[in-house]
Structures are given as C-alpha cells and as structure tokens.
Amino acid sequence: MYDKEKLKKISLICDLYTKNTTAINENKYIKLINNNKEYLNQKVYAIIDRPIESNPIKEHPEFKYELNYGYIPNTLSGDGEELDCYILGVKDPIQDFTGKCIAIIHRINEDDDKLILVQNNKDYSIKEIEELTYFSEKHHKSFVYKE
C-alpha cells in the first residue's frame, strides 16, 4: 500500500516542476517511483565512469563533476542506458564503489532514474541530496524519492 500523504507531496513537487495546473495522475507517479525502488536500502555495486572533478564535456571545460558518478552494471534505465548513480561522501576519484542506496532521483522530463549511493550507512536528507547533486540536476526537472 502506498502512503497517500507521501504521494501527495511527490505529486505537488512534480506539479511545481512541470508547472502543470491540470489534475495529477497519481498512477503515473506510482509507476515512476517504482521504476527502481527495489534498490532502496540495498547494497549496490557501481562502476564509476565520471570520477569527481572530471569533465567529459569538451565543449564546456568549466563543467566538473562534483561527485563520483557511475552506473550499475547489467541494468537498464528509462533512457535505454544502464542505471546511473551518484556517490555521496567520497571525496577522492574512484573507479568502482559498493554502497547502500538511500534514495532515487527521478528525472521527470527524461523518465530516467539516478540512484544515490553512500558508504558506511551514512544518511542524507532530501535537501542535502538536492544540494549535492545540483551541479548536474539543475539542467533537468527531477525530484528525490526516499523512504
């Protein structure tokens, strides 16, 4: 059973991002949330293809990844690529990582999810996650889902 209050909050967040004044289709958001919900609170292995301080965008040399960023091998996300993830709490560039998934960022305009992985059962609030991932997520309409 879904927590109706949590769904209302998520729906309101989505509504603000999309500036949609029509009625919200709760089933749509339930589907979005469930895309990768199985990873929440689980230990997950990731390969890091964009280490912290790297810049894969040659056209924008000022852009730098402020977090280690990678993907979960042998998965498939809404964008047809492997499921991506941000690594929180690791300040040095790394090649791979195993940690706990504490949240999911869902990109509304792309139907794509990003897992939030942490080490040593560290926890972050939704606000902290939003602030830490803002360097990249500011270019997308997204929200953070956390149980």
Side-chain angles (χ1 to χ4, degrees):
M1 196 66 182
Y2 298 102
D3 180 338
K4 289 208 182 271
E5 286 304 308
K6 193 177 273 190
L7 282 174
K8 281 182 190 175
K9 287 178 188 173
I10 291 169
S11 294
L12 288 172
I13 291 168
C14 292
D15 195 38
L16 287 173
Y17 276 112
T18 59
K19 295 181 174 58
N20 182 0
T21 56
T22 59
I24 295 194
N25 180 348
E26 284 191 358
N27 289 331
K28 177 181 177 185
Y29 294 107
I30 291 170
K31 176 186 171 282
L32 298 179
I33 292 164
N34 282 334
N35 280 349
N36 292 295
K37 197 173 172 181
E38 68 192 78
Y39 293 102
L40 284 172
N41 300 309
Q42 299 299 313
K43 195 173 186 179
V44 180
Y45 173 75
I47 295 173
I48 307 307
D49 59 350
R50 295 173 216 166
I52 195 168
E53 296 298 317
S54 68
N55 176 354
I57 309 168
K58 296 194 186 329
E59 301 82 31
H60 298 283
E62 73 284 355
F63 180 84
K64 298 266 190 260
Y65 271 84
E66 296 178 18
L67 298 169
N68 286 293
Y69 183 89
Y71 63 91
I72 312 306
N74 305 312
T75 60
L76 192 61
S77 190
D79 65 357
E81 304 273 330
E82 289 172 301
L83 181 59
D84 296 321
C85 62
Y86 290 102
I87 311 300
L88 275 54
V90 179
K91 302 296 183 196
D92 296 314
I94 55 177
Q95 294 181 344
D96 62 353
F97 181 81
T98 300
K100 182 180 176 184
C101 177
I102 62 163
I104 299 170
I105 293 179
H106 180 76
R107 290 186 178 170
I108 299 165
N109 55 334
E110 297 178 6
D111 195 20
D112 189 24
D113 292 337
K114 312 292 178 193
L115 301 185
I116 302 297
L117 304 183
V118 300
Q119 58 185 353
N120 302 327
N121 289 323
K122 176 91 171 107
D123 198 18
Y124 292 82
S125 69
I126 288 175
K127 183 175 173 47
E128 290 171 316
I129 294 168
E130 289 171 340
E131 289 171 357
L132 290 167
T133 60
Y134 181 76
F135 74 95
S136 181
E137 293 304 313
K138 67 183 174 188
H139 304 290
H140 307 278
K141 294 178 181 171
S142 62
F143 66 90
V144 176
Y145 176 78
K146 188 174 180 198
E147 290 184 324

